[in-house]
Amino acid sequence: MGAYILRRLLLMIPTLLGIMAISFLVVQFAPGGPVEQVIAGLRGEAGGATDRVSGGGSDFGGSQGGGENSSYRGAQGLDPEFIAKLEQQFGFDKPPLERFGLMLWNYARFDFGESYFRSVSVIDLIIEKMPVSVSLGLWITLLSYAISIPLGIRKALKDGSSFDIWTSGVVIVAYAIPGFLFAVLLIVLFAGGSFFDWFPLRGLLSDGVRGDWCALWSSSADLPRCVTQTIPDYFWHLTLPLIALSLSAFATTTLLTKNSFLDEIRKQYVTTARAKGLTERRVLYGHVFRNAMLIIVAGFPGAFISAFFTGSLLIETIFSLDGLGLLGFESIYKRDYPVVFATLYIFSLLGLVTTLISDLTYTWIDPRIDFEKREV
């Protein structure tokens, strides 16, 4: 197993290099880089995301210069020395290969630098936005598993019945409804739209509760009051986002659980266990459960990472939750390259490590699985 883990770790290096190289090439060719962002801001021409898609040169080349011959959109009439200082500030006075090599060297030491436009280190920025994404990812994963596993087992036991048919219909329809569209419907119905005003629309905590959240860590004497006020308010803010995200989150796991249990129930060892006089409950949870849940439990790390880092951008935007999804979108929109590449590097690394952990979980649940005996 040690040799297998070592091989997988070594394979992460070229995988990360490929991801970063392709992303660097694509982003550098995109128009409207950070130099043009500053120029547009100075001229009062900063518009929306769609305003910048069609115009301007890329930042892939080296020094572009200023004045009438500048290839930067809107740079005409500006002092060439000012443009040169901007390029030096953002690192575009160096050739692309040198910039890419320097970025890889810094990232190998987990030195992600500072944001171009926020004057704060990238790591501090990610840590600041982390609570929102952790909250959404953790709770949606736990909620989807809490619904999917019992429902999938029940559907397997009632395979072909009316319960199985109508629940399958509900699951498929829920999976087909876009989460962001359902989020808008929830806002209209329950968050001050046209009907009820039961839930808030912004942040993880109300304005008056944020002080108690800080006191939770500064004074143990205020702990009971902080807990009684903060926890209900926290879940009050998360109710609608979690409902919107969970609408389609449990469909795949439910059907996977059902099919896994059906495969195990039809095997010979189940027939033997029943022939020995064991109760149906003992057969199901003493024999079938462990084998059937192998693929479900082993996929938990990947499911958490998937819920953590993907699919929450629109939900965060709709419910004004300032998390990693919104941070990534704004960074791409503003061409804040240190944040874009740092988040991509961290997420890719976590994804690769999580895949390895998922594989190792298989061997922990079922020792009969041995990755050493097959090629990676």
Side-chain angles (χ1 to χ4, degrees):
M1 184 56 66
Y4 171 78
I5 295 175
L6 180 60
R7 290 198 301 269
R8 289 291 299 271
L9 291 175
L10 292 177
L11 282 173
M12 291 181 186
I13 298 175
T15 304
L16 280 175
L17 285 176
I19 293 173
M20 299 304 295
I22 294 174
S23 302
F24 182 84
L25 193 64
V26 171
V27 169
Q28 295 298 312
F29 270 124
V35 176
E36 286 190 345
Q37 298 283 337
V38 174
I39 294 174
L42 292 174
R43 293 184 175 276
E45 299 173 353
T50 55
D51 297 336
R52 299 194 178 99
V53 171
S54 60
S58 72
D59 289 314
F60 187 79
S63 178
Q64 302 291 332
E68 298 298 326
N69 297 323
S70 174
S71 63
Y72 290 118
R73 184 182 60 172
Q76 287 76 14
L78 295 179
D79 187 355
E81 293 185 1
F82 173 73
I83 301 297
K85 289 182 179 179
L86 284 180
E87 291 177 334
Q88 184 177 8
Q89 175 185 346
F90 295 121
F92 290 108
D93 57 331
K94 302 181 181 66
L97 287 178
E98 183 179 347
R99 295 202 306 269
F100 181 67
L102 182 61
M103 181 185 71
L104 291 180
W105 170 248
N106 290 333
Y107 283 11
R109 296 177 292 121
F110 291 93
D111 178 11
F112 301 109
E114 290 192 355
S115 167
Y116 282 163
F117 304 105
R118 299 174 187 256
S119 299
V120 63
S121 70
V122 174
I123 282 293
D124 290 341
L125 195 59
I126 293 175
I127 293 175
E128 178 187 346
K129 310 298 183 183
M130 191 75 75
V132 171
S133 296
V134 168
S135 297
L136 291 176
L138 177 62
W139 292 117
I140 195 60
T141 303
L142 295 178
L143 183 62
S144 65
Y145 268 65
I147 296 174
S148 300
I149 293 176
L151 181 59
I153 295 174
R154 186 69 175 174
K155 284 172 64 63
L157 297 178
K158 300 290 185 180
D159 184 41
S161 66
S162 59
F163 173 82
D164 180 42
I165 295 173
W166 75 261
T167 53
S168 295
V170 171
V171 167
I172 293 172
V173 170
Y175 184 75
I177 297 176
F180 71 90
L181 187 63
F182 191 64
V184 174
L185 176 63
L186 291 176
I187 290 175
V188 172
L189 293 177
F190 304 113
S194 303
F195 296 90
F196 305 101
D197 189 10
W198 291 349
F199 295 97
L201 274 177
R202 181 177 298 276
L204 285 180
L205 295 171
S206 301
D207 293 336
V209 181
R210 290 195 181 97
D212 290 334
W213 180 262
C214 297
L216 178 62
W217 304 101
S218 61
S219 174
S220 59
D222 292 332
L223 181 60
R225 180 173 59 87
C226 291
V227 170
T228 55
Q229 291 186 10
T230 302
I231 293 180
D233 186 76
Y234 169 76
F235 284 106
W236 183 45
H237 281 73
L238 277 180
T239 299
L240 295 186
L242 288 181
I243 293 175
L245 282 172
S246 64
L247 182 66
S248 60
F250 60 87
T252 302
T253 310
T254 298
L255 298 179
L256 188 62
T257 303
K258 175 193 172 182
N259 293 332
S260 180
F261 267 80
L262 283 177
D263 289 341
E264 292 297 323
I265 289 173
R266 293 165 181 167
K267 290 183 177 179
Q268 184 63 42
Y269 75 90
V270 176
T271 304
T272 303
R274 287 170 176 166
K276 289 181 179 180
L278 297 180
T279 63
E280 193 66 23
R281 183 178 182 86
R282 179 69 182 275
V283 171
L284 180 63
Y285 293 102
H287 294 76
V288 176
F289 187 82
R290 179 178 179 180
N291 295 327
M293 289 301 295
L294 172 62
I295 191 172
I296 308 299
V297 176
F300 182 84
F304 173 68
I305 292 296
S306 177
F308 188 12
F309 294 128
T310 62
S312 61
L313 168 60
L314 292 175
I315 299 299
E316 289 181 10
T317 304
I318 290 172
F319 291 101
S320 300
L321 298 172
D322 193 8
L324 292 175
L326 190 58
L327 172 66
F329 173 75
E330 291 179 345
S331 300
I332 295 173
Y333 161 61
K334 295 179 180 179
R335 301 296 193 269
D336 197 347
Y337 293 155
V339 179
V340 172
F341 287 119
T343 52
L344 176 65
Y345 178 83
I346 292 173
F347 295 170
S348 300
L349 182 60
L350 285 176
L352 292 172
V353 172
T354 302
T355 303
L356 176 58
I357 293 175
S358 297
D359 289 345
L360 296 178
T361 306
Y362 280 105
T363 63
W364 175 66
I365 296 175
D366 190 350
R368 295 172 297 177
I369 297 176
D370 188 1
F371 290 107
E372 286 282 2
K373 297 180 180 179
R374 70 179 184 89
E375 296 294 329
V376 180

